[in-house]
Amino acid sequence: MRQEHLFNSLWMASTIALVAAGPVSAQVSLITGVRLNQTPTGVEVVLQTLGGGTPEVFTSQDGETFIADIVNAQLRLPGGENFVADNPIEGIRAIAVTAGEGNQVRVTVTGATAVPLTDLVVENGQIGLRVTPSAETVTVSPPETSPETESEAVPADAEIIELIVTATRIAERVTDVPASISVVGEEQIEQQTRLTRDLGTILSQEVPGLSVGTQSASNFGQTLRGRNISVIIDGVPQSTNRNASRDLRTIDPSAIERVEVLRGPTAIYGDGATGGVINIITKRGRGEGLQAETTVDLNAFPTNIGETFGQNIQQSFSGNFGDFDFALNGSFSRTSAQFDAWGDRIPPDPNSQGGIGDSNTFNLLSKVGVNLTDSQRLQFTVNYFRDTQDTEYTTDPIVNEIPGRQRARALEGLDLDESQQSTNLNTSLDYTHDDIFGSSFQGQIYYRDYFTRFFPFDAREFASLGNTIFQSRVESEKYGARLQVDTPIVDAARANLLWGVDLVRENTNQPVSIFDPVAFENSNGLTYNRIGSRTWSPFQRQDNLGLFAQLKWNVSDRVVLRGGVRHERINVDVNDYTTLAGNRIQGGELDYNATLFNVGSVVYPTEEISVFANFSQGFSIADVGRVLRGAAPGFTVESLDPEAQTVNNYEIGIRGNYDRIQTSISGFYNTSNLGSSFTEDFEILRAPERVYGVEFTLDAQPSDTWGLGTSFTWTEGGADSNDDGDYEIPLNGFRISPIKITAYIENETLPGWNNRLQALYSGTRNPTGQGFGLGEVESYITLDLISSLNIGRGRLVLGVENLLNTEYFPVVSQLQGSDTAYAAARGRSIRLGYSFNW
């Protein structure tokens, strides 16, 4: 009866809205009124909604507040005010309906002591919320799910609310996308940061298809479906044409609202996404008035608390004031020494790609938005990230002289003025207009300034590197613009065409500092006295122009078709330069172009099941700077004559989204005829490649207090050096990871006390042949514990990483040829923290 009463209220609300509002565009729903109906167990919130078809909603929680964001909707209440009801019933502190960013409306329900149980109901295009105070029901939100679905549990008699994603450049239901998408929400990210603040490790636990984390500052060796990832933060690409492989070390997790991972090759954002896109979306203004949150946590390794004691402090402010909203988030963390399960210090540069131990990390996010009109919005975002290593240790070279495989050791006494460091500045200005002759317009201009410095390298035995000891750094500036228009075709609810242009210019170079070999030798490799500087990779200017169009057609309520095309042109201009070996090289220009296609379909056999299939193409260009730094005498840039690598991907999958079970399975197969790297004599490596695999996820909520789930990833691949179709050479382990299985079980042990136990298994892989990255990889399994307890206005959290103190080596360590890079994984570590809102 209560369900029927709410449906009747929704029907009446739609009738009232039609009479009150008059004509409206079919693209955007208008919320013209809010009504509260008291029930025997709580209160119903009924939104009077007009136009726009079926509204799309996704949910989250923040402390004691339940949040529902309604996409493609505008708030049109009498007088232009937001709706706020303070203390509407006992146990509910406030209910608010406020205008959000662009065409978005936010509904918040704040409990007096804990988040209330809130059920969403959508009927005939209208929205209702059934609220029960925490004092009369469960006081903690349902168990979290894995990133494939992230849908809130709802009762069997209510419609399941779909998750909205923007990884495809526009907001749409995840089930309408004919591809595999994982979404890691804010609460999931916060939960994993109770174990580690390394984003690569966090995502490897949450995202199927992504290789296990490297436990270093580099994501070299962490691929998505065996190929490269393209990382984007608020629309700004984080790649550099001189690939530094630190794209996931450019922002602190505290600044992230959610991460959307589009798994599989795509050209929707341009070049580089041959494995997929990791789309990072930063936090935004939330809540009516000023909101603040403070977080403090301490961490250490029990084997040596004094040397490993670390801290993290976060402070955020956000709010909405009429048409103005803002978010300000700052964090500082000190990561001290890291120890392995044997109780030994891990070298600060564990795999010769950069480390995260003995480092200080600072991040500042500022986002300001203003709604110029009901259909126009302007938003300015700045995020600054700085990660600096401060250590007195280096890697002991003695391990390379001891027979047998030796674990890397740390050596004290390092004397280095400029340690490893990364800084990343992202700025962007976004403008949206949701009704230009019936179309929606989005424009963005952005600037990125990136710098990273590596640990010194002893190249005295390499003539091509000038027989020097040097320390390199990558310096990159990127300017860009994105313009896109979403145009309805006949009926906005039936078909639309997304079209636009992307423009990017990047300036990059890689200079080096040269060190005194005598001081280095006399100190046993501990003292680095700078005596000069040189060029390693020359200055490059790269210009990208991309034109794209993407059609989506809702054939019926059960069939969605889509297809698109993108044409990309790239020009690389290289200056004249001199190599470290003293060879004078003539610069020049390189031109690339590629036209990429995609087509796919989603079919809904039932409301809970969606089946999809797609063909998509991704592409990438060679890391030209890496090749040019070792050029021989007489070589010219234009002699490279490069071509872009195009990847053809085929995928099928099925998703199920039930009240208490969410699952998916997908299989993919992709090929590329041209490589994007070069041989030692600067010829393009043309060996065809293929990569294929299977991914599976399952999440279940047996009751309101229990949750469990698992994911499975299997990927394999090979190269066809003879071009005879045999693909006889396995792809190396830095590309293809072993089987990965994750699992978790979580429980609300007592009201306000949640516990989660999670596991990660990395399997064995022993490819045939010898060569770079083709060594045997041994399996391992780790177990983590996460616990949280609501105390007062905040939450006390405990995280134990590697709970059983398992002795193992990360996959990237096992693949190293030198023992100085054969570093063990982190042993047991403990993190204790407290966060509160005020």
Side-chain angles (χ1 to χ4, degrees), residues 708-837:
L708 54 90
T710 185
S711 72
F712 171 85
T713 300
W714 172 72
T715 307
E716 194 49 78
D720 182 10
S721 61
N722 299 320
D723 200 14
D724 57 5
D726 284 343
Y727 296 94
E728 73 283 0
I729 301 177
L731 295 182
N732 67 69
F734 294 105
R735 290 274 305 276
I736 305 297
S737 289
I739 287 175
K740 184 184 78 170
I741 301 175
T742 67
Y744 72 90
I745 183 170
E746 55 190 5
N747 171 246
E748 182 200 347
T749 310
L750 292 173
W753 181 25
N754 288 275
N755 293 282
R756 174 185 172 109
L757 196 65
Q758 64 182 37
L760 184 147
Y761 169 79
S762 177
T764 60
R765 187 173 187 259
N766 189 15
T768 58
Q770 295 182 345
F772 177 73
L774 289 179
E776 180 181 1
V777 175
E778 297 180 351
S779 64
Y780 62 84
I781 184 170
T782 61
L783 203 63
D784 306 318
L785 172 67
I786 303 172
S787 182
S788 66
L789 176 65
N790 293 339
I791 298 179
R793 296 178 59 88
R795 178 186 299 177
L796 180 69
V797 299
L798 170 69
V800 184
E801 185 183 29
N802 195 358
L803 179 66
L804 303 181
N805 202 35
T806 303
E807 300 172 349
Y808 73 100
F809 293 82
V811 172
V812 292
S813 285
Q814 297 187 50
L815 295 169
Q816 301 294 331
S818 172
D819 285 349
T820 54
Y822 183 56
R826 294 189 292 262
R828 182 190 296 116
S829 65
I830 299 175
R831 187 179 296 264
L832 182 66
Y834 185 73
S835 62
F836 59 96
N837 299 317

Side-chain angles (χ1 to χ4, degrees), residues 169 267-271 482 501-503 545-549 564-568 594-598 619:
R169 300 191 69 134
I268 196 165
Y269 284 100
D271 74 295
R482 299 185 185 276
V501 59
D502 296 333
L503 299 168
L545 168 64
L547 305 173
F548 65 90
V565 60
R566 182 183 179 100
H567 180 73
E568 189 89 5
T595 302
L596 295 310
F597 301 90
N598 69 84
F619 79 106

Side-chain angles (χ1 to χ4, degrees), residues 480-491:
R482 299 185 185 276
L483 303 175
Q484 65 183 51
V485 180
D486 188 18
T487 301
I489 300 178
V490 183
D491 180 1

Side-chain angles (χ1 to χ4, degrees), residues 519-538:
F520 179 81
E521 184 69 27
N522 292 339
S523 65
N524 192 30
L526 293 174
T527 300
Y528 294 86
N529 292 336
R530 181 177 175 178
I531 59 176
S533 60
R534 300 277 296 277
T535 295
W536 195 13
S537 291

Side-chain angles (χ1 to χ4, degrees), residues 162-479:
E162 295 286 3
L163 182 67
I164 307 301
V165 296
T166 58
T168 55
R169 300 191 69 134
I170 58 173
E172 58 183 329
R173 296 190 306 169
V174 66
T175 53
D176 280 352
V177 181
S180 296
I181 294 182
S182 298
V183 180
V184 186
E186 181 178 351
E187 185 149 341
Q188 290 170 283
I189 295 171
E190 290 179 356
Q191 185 181 65
Q192 294 300 321
T193 58
R194 299 165 196 169
L195 302 170
T196 177
R197 306 197 66 77
D198 176 32
L199 187 58
T201 300
I202 291 172
L203 294 181
S204 69
Q205 181 71 42
E206 298 286 343
V207 179
L210 184 65
S211 303
V212 293
T214 64
Q215 298 192 10
S216 72
S218 172
N219 54 271
F220 178 74
Q222 188 170 23
T223 60
L224 184 58
R225 292 187 169 181
R227 297 187 184 271
N228 292 335
I229 55 177
S230 174
V231 180
I232 297 171
I233 300 177
D234 290 333
V236 181
Q238 301 301 293
S239 61
T240 55
N241 54 34
R242 173 68 276 278
N243 188 7
S245 295
R246 294 186 174 182
D247 300 357
L248 291 176
R249 194 74 179 173
T250 56
I251 188 172
D252 189 78
S254 64
I256 300 174
E257 180 173 282
R258 70 181 186 275
V259 179
E260 302 173 346
V261 183
L262 181 60
R263 310 193 318 260
T266 179
I268 196 165
Y269 284 100
D271 74 295
T274 52
V277 173
I278 296 181
N279 182 35
I280 298 174
I281 301 167
T282 59
K283 292 181 177 178
R284 55 186 173 175
R286 62 182 65 180
E288 194 66 20
L290 180 64
Q291 308 287 324
E293 182 179 12
T294 303
T295 300
V296 178
D297 67 58
L298 308 174
N299 56 88
F301 289 74
T303 53
N304 194 321
I305 295 178
E307 293 185 79
T308 65
F309 186 74
Q311 316 87 41
N312 173 64
I313 301 174
Q314 298 168 215
Q315 180 62 58
S316 65
F317 299 95
S318 67
N320 286 275
F321 301 90
D323 291 327
F324 171 82
D325 58 84
F326 81 99
L328 181 64
N329 184 288
S331 65
F332 172 81
S333 61
R334 167 64 182 174
T335 303
S336 297
Q338 301 193 319
F339 279 66
D340 59 30
W342 288 271
D344 297 322
R345 179 189 288 265
I346 300 173
D349 187 21
N351 307 127
S352 301
Q353 292 289 329
I356 58 180
D358 295 325
S359 62
N360 298 316
T361 305
F362 171 76
N363 195 96
L364 180 64
L365 166 70
S366 176
K367 182 180 290 187
V368 178
V370 58
N371 297 319
L372 304 175
T373 66
D374 290 339
S375 60
Q376 298 182 71
R377 177 175 172 81
L378 194 65
Q379 179 175 282
F380 180 65
T381 305
V382 178
N383 192 84
Y384 176 75
F385 172 85
R386 181 185 180 94
D387 187 37
T388 304
Q389 192 170 71
D390 182 13
T391 182
E392 297 179 353
Y393 288 81
T394 184
T395 303
D396 193 343
I398 192 65
V399 295
N400 288 333
E401 302 176 14
I402 302 175
R405 193 67 157 147
Q406 299 297 318
R407 181 162 38 104
R409 304 177 186 175
L411 179 65
E412 190 175 7
L414 177 66
D415 182 10
L416 176 64
D417 289 337
E418 295 181 325
S419 298
Q420 297 183 83
Q421 183 184 81
S422 292
T423 62
N424 188 48
L425 173 66
N426 286 339
T427 63
S428 62
L429 180 65
D430 296 83
Y431 171 75
T432 58
H433 195 308
D434 296 308
D435 191 8
I436 299 181
F437 302 108
S439 296
S440 298
F441 171 85
Q442 296 182 32
Q444 180 188 67
I445 56 175
Y446 62 83
Y447 169 75
R448 182 191 186 219
D449 187 4
Y450 178 73
F451 169 89
T452 190
R453 183 190 298 119
F454 297 89
F455 194 81
F457 178 68
D458 182 5
R460 288 176 295 173
E461 298 183 1
F462 298 89
S464 62
L465 299 178
N467 304 109
T468 60
I469 303 169
F470 66 85
Q471 181 181 31
S472 75
R473 58 192 184 272
V474 173
E475 301 169 349
S476 170
E477 278 191 317
K478 184 174 290 188
Y479 312 81

